[in-house]
Amino acid sequence: MEIRQMPHVNSSSQADTDGLTSSAIPLRPLYQLIIFWTLLILGFAAWDSYQFYLSQLTTAKAVARDNFNKDLVYRRWATMHGGVYVPITERTPPNPYLSHIPDRDITAPSGKSLTLMNPAYMTRQVHELAREQYDLRGHITSLKPIRPANVADAWETEALKAFESGASESMSQEMIDGESYIRFMKSMSVEEACLKCHASQGYKNGDVRGGISISVPWAPYRERVLSAIPGKATTFGIVWIVGVIGIVTGRRNLQHYLDERDRAEEEKLAMQQHLQNARKLESLGVLAGGLAHDFNNILATIIGYCGILKFRPEKVADSIPEIEKAAERAAELCRQMLAYAGKTQSVIMQVDMTTLVDEMVRLLKATIPQNTVIKVDLAADATMIQGDSEQLRQIVKNLIINASEAIGEAQGELRISLATTEIREGDPLRDYQGKFIAAGRYACLEVTDTGCGMDDEIRSKIFEPFYTTKFFGRGLGMPATLGIIAAHKGALQLFSQPGQGTTIKVYLPAA
Amino acid sequence: MKAKILVIDDDQQFNSMVCMILVDAGYDVKSATNGMEGLKMFMKERPDLVITDLYMPEKEGLEAIMELRQTDKTVKILLVSGGSPHMKMSEMFTMAGMFGADAVLPKPFSIGTFLEKIKELLET
């Protein structure tokens, strides 16, 4: 057994303002975001320009293919008619390679001289016109041309060889005379009408005889691609600038928001601090006023009886016990206040809480009205703790009496239980103030009543000294209970709703 | 004829002592331990003087004083108080006057002062 002054556990919390820091957004992420935005815009610009280039390339290729098809159509038309007769001019002399044709040159009834223009001759002349007017080059060619001028160039030779191997067309971008062209070539097969001119070369119907190559100049398309660059650069530049402005403004707005939030948080903390101080002052005022009231009443009684003794000495037998009683009340008041403050002289020893609670319940049963059903559920084994048995009795007494008075005259139930419980690290158990209960083994005393319960206001004030809701009572029972629990390094939980009763759990560290 | 005095105080020890002093002083004394009981007793006994505490359960002293004064304009009312957890003494005395108390006597007090105050109130 030891006697010691129990340390007071300060239950008030102070707002931790040390952790308050300004939420300044660093500049580095801003720069990173701008760099990312710039790269993104550049990427989009490059992709867009490439897509535009591809679209121009596709257009040029389509033009080449369309021209080929057109050549093929009018060539076929001419073939279908076995060639056409045209007036002989300087530009259209009789075709020397058709000299074996009997009717190559004829005279119209009007006396006008006409010469036969076969499909190849006609195509060549059309190609010459197209080149003069549009720089659109067409070339009818073969690996075995009748006319030497129709000999294939290197690219055409490659294409023609590929046709013989089964390919049907060839297309690529090539340089001709230092200029870029889209070159397209498709094979031409020998048809029945072709044999009129080409049978002498040994061709048969269906043979790959040659092809027409179309070369579309790339320059106008390239010009279009290049001329689109300033417009696209402006568009993407504007988008980039808008984005950068957005990022900078966004950062500024976010900073402003964070500053406002910090300011509001600081103001809230300052207000809470202020309120807390005000509450402490109010609480101190209530404490001082309550103490003064109780002591003045006791002193009034003592002084009164002393006065009686002075004037009526024969009343000594009546007066002295009253003075003693008043002095004892004063001492009890002091004990309650010291218990509340956790400054009680404590006699610490091993206490079996099971036995202590059982004894107290038996003792208090007589004071609890008949309308209240008492249910007791105590742990079968001894529940040992280190504590002051007198103070622990006071806890049990206060809780049971409070619960009984909450039930009052109504029918109700009062449950008292005691068990050993283990709280592990990280368990979300909090005390009535919202603080986590420290991990460890505890003797848990639980007192539940089906009484009137408490609203938020009562719950927040129940542990304040001189706060009472009872007809009789000075409002010191619960504060003293809390003081004793704190001095025993225990914890208290309070569960209560108006009309739904109250449960108070007291956790006292097990020995 | 003895003057009739009603003592209202929830501190039973103080209440008994005051009653004893007043009986010894020759008054007809009645007592109650809270404001509600005190008002019922007043209606029944119609005393000449009411001595009441301030900080009491059920019905506080100021409330009791106000209702007493509304019921009876002439009865003398003496407020005796050791203070209140919720009010300053000076405020309490001011409010007691406003609510209808004739005099205020802070606790503790001597028997002489007390009896003198009673006499004074009953004679005015």
Side-chain angles (χ1 to χ4, degrees), chain A residues 20-313:
Chain A
L20 261 186
T21 53
S22 173
S23 305
I25 304 171
L27 282 171
R28 194 172 168 179
L30 175 74
Y31 296 146
Q32 286 173 338
L33 198 57
I34 289 174
I35 289 169
F36 173 76
W37 175 244
T38 306
L39 292 174
L40 191 70
I41 288 294
L42 286 175
F44 272 126
W47 180 80
D48 184 64
S49 298
Y50 180 64
Q51 290 300 315
F52 189 62
Y53 160 77
L54 285 182
S55 75
Q56 291 304 306
L57 190 62
T58 306
T59 306
K61 286 179 178 178
V63 167
R65 192 182 291 275
D66 288 348
N67 272 283
F68 172 85
N69 289 337
K70 194 77 174 173
D71 286 351
L72 210 60
V73 168
Y74 64 71
R75 182 185 163 75
R76 192 164 284 150
W77 175 84
T79 305
M80 191 171 71
H81 295 290
V84 293
Y85 285 93
V86 298
I88 296 169
T89 61
E90 192 181 346
R91 185 164 187 164
T92 314
N95 188 345
Y97 302 104
L98 298 179
S99 56
H100 59 286
I101 305 290
D103 296 325
R104 187 192 71 176
D105 300 316
I106 58 170
T107 304
S110 61
K112 194 172 187 175
S113 296
L114 299 171
T115 188
L116 180 67
M117 180 170 263
N118 71 337
Y121 190 8
M122 184 183 72
T123 305
R124 192 174 69 244
Q125 266 202 351
V126 169
H127 285 167
E128 284 167 5
L129 270 174
R131 185 171 179 176
E132 284 167 16
Q133 291 182 15
Y134 309 113
D135 193 26
L136 184 73
R137 300 185 183 205
H139 191 213
I140 183 162
T141 185
S142 166
L143 290 173
K144 292 187 286 184
I146 296 172
R147 182 172 170 262
N150 283 355
V151 72
D153 63 17
W155 183 82
E156 288 167 336
T157 304
E158 283 295 314
L160 287 166
K161 284 179 181 170
F163 297 158
E164 284 184 344
S165 304
S168 63
E169 63 177 53
S170 181
M171 187 181 282
S172 62
Q173 194 164 4
E174 303 292 334
M175 297 299 287
I176 302 173
D177 301 333
E179 288 293 328
S180 181
Y181 284 84
I182 301 300
R183 300 200 70 178
F184 176 73
M185 189 168 184
K186 199 166 180 180
S187 66
M188 287 190 303
S189 301
V190 175
E191 295 171 7
E192 189 61 39
C194 303
L195 295 174
K196 180 181 177 183
C197 304
H198 297 282
S200 59
Q201 289 175 282
Y203 284 117
K204 295 189 297 291
N205 202 6
D207 285 351
V208 174
R209 178 174 46 78
I212 295 174
S213 79
I214 301 292
S215 299
V216 178
W218 175 243
Y221 299 95
R222 185 179 56 211
E223 191 58 38
R224 238 175 275 166
V225 171
L226 293 175
S227 65
I229 289 175
K232 288 182 184 295
T234 306
T235 306
F236 280 100
I238 289 169
V239 172
W240 180 80
I241 289 168
V242 168
V244 169
I245 290 170
I247 290 167
V248 173
T249 310
R251 179 191 178 272
R252 194 176 297 161
N253 288 347
L254 181 63
Q255 186 65 62
H256 180 70
Y257 164 76
L258 291 175
D259 289 346
E260 284 294 312
R261 194 194 62 179
D262 286 350
R263 199 172 300 124
E265 193 68 27
E266 280 170 21
E267 279 172 8
K268 190 178 158 192
L269 277 173
M271 185 63 79
Q272 281 175 345
Q273 190 71 41
H274 182 72
L275 272 174
Q276 207 170 18
N277 290 341
R279 279 199 196 113
K280 273 183 190 168
L281 276 176
E282 187 193 349
S283 189
L284 198 63
V286 169
L287 182 67
L291 271 178
H293 173 269
D294 284 13
F295 270 112
N296 281 338
N297 266 0
I298 293 165
L299 288 173
T301 304
I302 293 171
I303 291 170
Y305 276 110
C306 287
I308 291 170
L309 277 178
K310 202 186 285 177
F311 296 110
R312 304 279 302 273

Side-chain angles (χ1 to χ4, degrees), chain A residues 300 321 396 455:
Chain A
V396 179
D455 59 20

Side-chain angles (χ1 to χ4, degrees), chain A residues 468-508:
Chain A
T468 182
T469 58
K470 295 190 289 190
F471 188 86
F472 294 106
R474 284 285 166 230
L476 284 173
M478 289 313 284
T481 298
L482 191 66
I484 294 168
I485 293 167
H488 281 76
K489 298 193 183 341
L492 181 143
Q493 285 184 308
L494 171 66
F495 308 96
S496 187
Q497 288 295 327
Q500 293 179 17
T502 300
T503 294
I504 292 181
K505 284 184 175 183
V506 175
Y507 294 85
L508 296 163

